[in-house]
Amino acid sequence: MEQDRNFTIFDGIIWGGAALSVLGLIGLVWCILKVWRARADGLEDAQMRAVMSRVLPLNLGALFVSVLGLMLVIVGIFLG
């Protein structure tokens, strides 16, 4: 028995949330790699602090985007 199901707005919310979560995860991995490279380069303390101060807002933004995407997935599942 085959079900004919159309793409609903809730499916869009779920897939959009999943895309946001993946985008946030990519941002988090980029932040990890950026700091990892800075540590591997053996930077001085002041230089390392400068790298960390540039990466920290991007890290928090990526985390926010990822959490927002996961919240959209949960809302889409509950309402769909």
Side-chain angles (χ1 to χ4, degrees):
M1 199 187 271
E2 187 176 325
Q3 290 183 352
D4 187 22
R5 183 166 177 230
N6 294 331
F7 188 80
T8 64
I9 187 71
F10 301 115
D11 293 333
I13 291 173
I14 292 169
W15 284 107
L20 276 178
S21 292
V22 169
L23 188 66
L25 183 63
I26 290 170
L28 288 171
V29 169
W30 181 84
C31 290
I32 290 168
L33 291 176
K34 185 77 170 173
V35 172
W36 197 354
R37 281 190 218 130
R39 285 186 65 190
D41 289 344
L43 298 178
E44 296 292 324
D45 189 43
Q47 294 171 329
M48 188 66 176
R49 286 181 188 269
V51 169
M52 293 290 286
S53 68
R54 285 193 307 266
V55 170
L56 181 67
L58 297 173
N59 188 14
L60 290 175
L63 185 62
F64 176 72
V65 168
S66 182
V67 168
L68 187 66
L70 289 174
M71 287 179 6
L72 284 174
V73 169
I74 297 296
V75 167
I77 289 172
F78 280 145
L79 295 178

